[in-house]
Amino acid sequence: MTIRLSSEERRAQIVEAAIKIIGERGLRAFTVAHMAEEVGITDGTIFRHFKSKDEIVMGVIDRLEEIFSETIPAPSTDPLGDLGLFFLNRVKLVTSRPGIQALVFSDQLSHAGGAVALKRVTELRSRGRRHIQARLDEASQKQLIREDLDLDDILVLFHGAMMSLLSLARDDFLLGSIEARAERIWKTFLSMIRR
C-alpha cells in the first residue's frame, strides 16, 4: 500500500531515489520503473510530480546544490580551521551517501540533462574550489601559510588528498574509520602548509 504524501514530500522522495540510482547504478538504471520501485509507487505516479525526466535531473541538481552547500562552513577568523571543516564535512557527506561523488565528479548528470545540467554541475564543483581558494588566500594574507608554497599547488594537493581518500574509501581499500583517517590526513596536510 502506498502512503499518501504531499506533492512536495513525494517530489523529494523521487529526487532522492534518482540520486541513489544514478550515483550507485549509473545512468542506464535511471528509469521511471527503477525510480518508482525505489520510492514504492507506480510508474505513472512519477509524472504526476514531474513533467519529464529532465525535470527530475534538474531536481537532482537542486538537491545536490543544497547538500554540498551545507558542507561549506561560514567564513570565520580562522581560514585554515575553515578549510579543515570543509575537508571533514565533504568526506563525511560523500562517505555517508554512496554514489554522490559519482554524480558530481562525472559527466552522468550532464548526459542526462544536457547543456544546462553540465553548466550547473560545473558551477557546483567550482563553488567548492572557490571556497578553498578564498580560504587559502586569506590564510596567506594572514601569513599562516609557508611563504615557499604556491597557493595553486596547495589547492591541487588539498583537492587531490580529498578525492584520493574518497576513492580509496569507495573501493573499500582502507581499514578503520574514514572520518578518523580524514582527520589524520587533514592534520598531516596542515602541518605541511602551516607557517
Side-chain angles (χ1 to χ4, degrees), residues 77-162:
T77 57
D78 179 10
L80 293 178
D82 294 348
L83 277 177
L85 280 174
F86 177 81
F87 185 89
L88 298 173
N89 288 347
R90 285 284 167 104
V91 168
K92 185 176 181 178
L93 167 66
V94 175
T95 56
S96 69
R97 302 219 26 187
I100 207 166
Q101 182 179 9
L103 281 172
V104 176
F105 296 102
S106 74
D107 293 331
Q108 291 188 78
L109 286 177
S110 58
H111 288 303
V116 173
L118 174 61
K119 183 177 181 181
R120 289 186 64 196
V121 172
T122 300
E123 173 53 30
L124 176 60
R125 289 191 295 246
S126 295
R127 195 172 303 136
R129 284 190 289 270
R130 283 194 305 270
H131 174 76
I132 298 165
Q133 190 68 58
R135 300 285 65 79
L136 287 173
D137 288 343
E138 184 181 344
S140 178
Q141 290 168 6
K142 290 183 172 186
Q143 299 181 343
L144 301 173
I145 296 176
R146 290 178 23 205
E147 291 175 357
D148 61 322
L149 298 177
D150 181 87
L151 294 183
D152 288 337
D153 293 346
I154 295 172
L155 173 67
V156 170
L157 293 171
F158 179 96
H159 197 263
M162 186 168 31

Side-chain angles (χ1 to χ4, degrees), residues 3 9 18 24 29 33-34 59 65 75 77 84 96 143 159 164 168 177 182:
I3 298 172
E9 291 169 319
E24 293 178 10
H34 284 136
E65 288 171 345
T77 57
S96 69
Q143 299 181 343
H159 197 263
S164 180
L168 292 170
S177 163

